[in-house]
Each structure stands twice: as C-alpha cells, then as structure tokens.
Amino acid sequence: MTDKPMNTINTKVCPVCGSSELIPFLSCEDFLTTKEVFNICKCKSCNFALTQDFPAEDEIGPYYDAPAYISHSDSHKGIINSLYHLARKIALRSKSKIVTCHASKKTGMLLDIGSGTGYFLNKMKSKKWIVTGIEKSDAARKYAKQKFGMDCQNSEYLYDIPAKTKDIVTMWHVLEHLEHLNKVMEHLHTILKDDGVAIIALPNKDSFDAGYYKEYWAAYDVPRHLWHFSPADFKYLADRHHFELQEIRPMNFDSFYISLLSEQNKGTFMASLVGLVKGGIFFLRSLANKKRCSSLIYILKKK
Ligand SMILES: [Zn+2]
C-alpha cells in the first residue's frame, strides 16, 4: 500500500477529559505494514495520549493486513512460535481465573468483544458460561466456527444487545483499537447487569518498557492503536462512565513479548534474544510496581 488514507480522524478534544490542549508527543512508524509515520498527541490536562489523524474505520482495513498480525496460526514451527503457544495456554488459564475470581456468580452470560479466533470463549464455554463473541474480522469468525463451532457476531451486534443482560464483558487488548471510545464505554455500562463486571486489558504507556523504547515501543502500534492509556487516565475515563475501578492486574507475558517486538522495530541484532532479556528486566522491575507493567487488566464494576 502506498497511498495515505483519504479519510482520517483528527481529534481536537481529549476524549477522556474534554480538554482541547493536545500537544505533540511522539512520531511513530507503522512498523507492521506501511512504514507510514503517525503522530501521537498527549493531552496537557490529563496526560492521555492518542494517535492523531488515524484512518477511519472504512479505510483502516489494509493496516491490519500483515502476516504478523495473524497471531492465530496453529503452526508450532520455531522457538518463538512454540513460546507463543505456551504463553497463550497459560494466558487463557489466567484469564479464566480472573473471570471466576471477579464474577458475582459461578456461571452466567459472558460477552467477549474482539473475540478473535475464539480460544477464550471456548475456554469459558468449557467452564459452563453462556458465551457470545463479537469479532469484526471475517477470517477470525470463520476460524472460530471451524475450530470450535462458535458463532461469533460482527461489530454492529454490540448495539443490539439488550440492557442489563451480561454478567461479564471482556475486552482483551481491544478497546485501544475502537474508534468510538466513549460510545463503547457507555454501551458497556448499559449492557452489564447491576452486579456485572467489565474486564479490560490495555497496553500501559506508563510502563517501564514504554519509557525505555519510546517511539519504537511495539504497543504504540500505530495506526491500529488509536488510544494510549495509563492507569491514571483509564481510571478517569472509567469514572466518567460510572464505573468503579476495583483492581488492576499486570499481564506479565507482555513485558517479554512487547520488548521482543520493540527490539525488532529498532532493528537490533538478535532482537528476539535481546528483547527477551530486557523484557525479563522490565518484568522483574514491575513486580515491585505493577502499575508500570507493559500491559494491565482493569476490573470495573458499575457504581
Ligand atoms: Zn485529557
């Protein structure tokens, strides 16, 4: 792809706090597909960051067309891939535990927004949850159907869900991709039951690795990641949408994975090895300060 998108979204007002003082923060390359440069702005008032002039929903499709983005392959070739599959297995178990630990009941109605190829839904189905998935990629929905017999819905379905019908809504690294941030947060509140729980995983721009890698930090992932959160500004957003932040949990594997990709972005010799070692250091440092971990899981309850 060589042409810049025609239809881009220029944000003039901070979607978190409403301030119009957005100042330049970083210029990042789209390392994954186009090598185009996108600017990230920071809100002077609340410190939230956002990708400026990102392609609108109808034009962003090609930016996802990269082999590396298909993290769903079942190939076990190569050590990185094997590690990835092991990590996925452990991560699935950990996600399932988080649901069990925070849900107000043993089973119920669970919605996973951005359900991808359906591994998490399948895991929760095996734990007797009644699961629904929303996934915008046709290929991923097809995979979920073939592999698990799972019928996932497309994006529009979110707004057809009746109010107060979900016990758990999960978004694993999804919210940062969604153009209509406030609309989604508002709707999340609507569809959750009064004792429902939202579980939202996001990259952490206040992490040790983000501070170290700066414009090479793989979790800026422009222009696919539109919003760049820290614990403070996500708490602010949640609060505005009448959610109480119950707990923050670190996603430890991301320290390794994101460092590895960031070293690749920098073009480092033996990037995988260097990334894993540095990721290990960031992981160890974040043990003492979990709010500086590469990715965080936010547990929200309705106020
Ligand atoms: Zn702001």
Side-chain angles (χ1 to χ4, degrees), residues 14-19 22 43-48:
C14 170
V16 170
C17 77
S19 161
L22 300 176
C43 170
K44 216 175 160 184
S45 171
C46 76
N47 217 30
F48 178 65

Side-chain angles (χ1 to χ4, degrees), residues 40 134 160 199 236 267:
I40 296 180
I134 294 179
D160 294 337
I199 301 172
Y236 194 114

Side-chain angles (χ1 to χ4, degrees), residues 19-244:
S19 161
S20 55
E21 283 195 282
L22 300 176
I23 53 171
F25 172 50
L26 286 174
S27 287
C28 296
E29 194 179 310
D30 168 13
F31 291 100
L32 199 64
T33 55
T34 63
K35 311 295 173 201
E36 287 169 20
V37 172
F38 290 85
N39 293 319
I40 296 180
C41 285
K42 224 174 200 181
C43 170
K44 216 175 160 184
S45 171
C46 76
N47 217 30
F48 178 65
L50 55 94
T51 303
Q52 197 54 285
D53 299 313
F54 61 79
E57 255 171 18
D58 56 340
E59 291 200 29
I60 205 162
Y63 291 88
Y64 284 87
D65 286 342
Y69 227 86
I70 320 269
S71 50
H72 338 118
S73 95
D74 272 338
S75 144
H76 284 265
K77 281 182 207 145
I79 183 151
I80 296 300
N81 224 5
S82 305
L83 284 174
Y84 170 78
H85 283 95
L86 178 67
R88 179 169 67 188
K89 207 172 164 185
I90 299 170
L92 275 176
R93 203 178 301 152
S94 141
K95 287 173 179 175
S96 151
K97 265 190 192 160
I98 291 170
V99 171
T100 315
C101 170
H102 289 279
S104 53
K105 49 189 86 162
K106 279 199 172 126
T107 63
M109 308 287 279
L110 181 147
L111 170 72
D112 187 30
I113 303 175
S115 52
T117 45
Y119 280 86
F120 171 67
L121 284 178
N122 187 55
K123 177 89 181 172
M124 296 319 294
K125 198 175 159 190
S126 76
K127 304 263 174 195
K128 311 285 180 231
W129 283 82
I130 300 161
V131 299
T132 311
I134 294 179
E135 173 53 49
K136 76 172 183 180
S137 154
D138 295 339
R141 283 204 310 274
K142 206 172 151 194
Y143 184 103
K145 176 73 181 168
Q146 278 171 356
K147 176 117 184 151
F148 304 115
M150 200 80 71
D151 287 303
C152 295
Q153 310 288 331
N154 59 23
S155 309
E156 293 81 63
Y157 177 77
L158 178 63
Y159 299 100
D160 294 337
I161 298 173
K164 298 189 180 185
T165 51
K166 299 295 176 191
D167 295 290
I168 298 279
V169 178
T170 50
M171 296 177 95
W172 306 107
H173 286 295
V174 170
L175 190 63
E176 65 273 32
H177 294 265
L178 304 181
E179 186 178 316
H180 304 288
L181 177 62
N182 280 299
K183 194 176 164 195
V184 170
M185 287 298 289
E186 195 184 313
H187 202 64
L188 215 58
H189 195 275
T190 305
I191 62 177
L192 276 171
K193 294 180 186 174
D194 287 337
D195 60 354
V197 178
I199 301 172
I200 300 177
L202 295 166
N204 176 15
K205 76 163 187 300
D206 270 5
S207 62
F208 289 118
D209 40 315
Y212 176 78
Y213 288 114
K214 297 190 173 67
E215 68 268 32
Y216 296 103
W217 189 50
Y220 284 126
D221 201 22
V222 294
R224 290 159 294 278
H225 288 187
L226 318 177
W227 320 115
H228 311 284
F229 292 96
S230 69
D233 45 48
F234 187 70
K235 187 179 185 299
Y236 194 114
L237 182 75
D239 194 61
R240 263 192 52 206
H241 288 280
H242 315 289
F243 282 109
E244 195 182 308

